[in-house]
Amino acid sequence: QVQLVESGGGAVQPGGSLRLSCAASGSIFRTDAMGWYRQAPGKQRELVAIISSGGSTNYADSVKGRFTISRDNAKNTVYLQMTSLKPEDTAVYYCNTGVWDGRGRFANYWGQGTQVTVSS
């Protein structure tokens, strides 16, 4: 089994920064694409950023220029560096990764979610 554990969320003032981490552990042969999603109250979960196994990235228009996604394959960890935070960034952030196990099985896994609150 695979578990994704998120950390780094919290409360910050507008213009501040946070760095989210998501570490995968368990039966992992290799990871595929990894991404960050967020869900604000009353809103549908949306993709924030994604990084492929080869390191190519894509971002939601709302976070381009402010957020940076990266990964450390040796640690099976994905990061989201968030800068110039705005109140509209307030949401629960979830990581997701595709995982190949030692038996050639593929599955997607979700982190437990971490709260990010941006307010004065």
Side-chain angles (χ1 to χ4, degrees):
Q1 293 297 308
V2 174
Q3 183 178 25
L4 274 60
V5 179
E6 301 180 27
S7 62
V12 66
Q13 293 183 336
S17 299
L18 286 172
R19 182 177 174 85
L20 306 183
S21 299
C22 174
S25 61
S27 182
I28 301 171
F29 177 71
R30 69 174 179 88
T31 55
D32 198 55
M34 308 178 84
W36 287 95
Y37 296 72
R38 67 186 181 188
Q39 188 165 23
K43 302 293 184 180
Q44 186 176 171
R45 188 173 299 185
E46 64 175 348
L47 177 67
V48 176
I50 189 167
I51 183 167
S52 73
S53 61
S56 62
T57 59
N58 291 98
Y59 298 89
D61 288 342
S62 60
V63 306
K64 286 181 179 177
R66 300 188 297 122
F67 292 8
T68 302
I69 188 171
S70 61
R71 64 191 292 162
D72 185 338
N73 288 332
K75 297 180 178 179
N76 291 321
T77 299
V78 62
Y79 306 93
L80 186 68
Q81 180 66 54
M82 309 165 67
T83 62
S84 301
L85 283 162
K86 304 175 181 180
E88 51 262 45
D89 295 318
T90 296
V92 178
Y93 284 70
Y94 300 89
C95 62
N96 175 275
T97 187
V99 175
W100 294 92
D101 68 13
R103 289 178 171 267
R105 296 177 180 269
F106 179 85
N108 283 294
Y109 294 88
W110 289 93
Q112 81 279 10
T114 185
Q115 177 71 48
V116 172
T117 301
V118 185
S119 66
S120 300

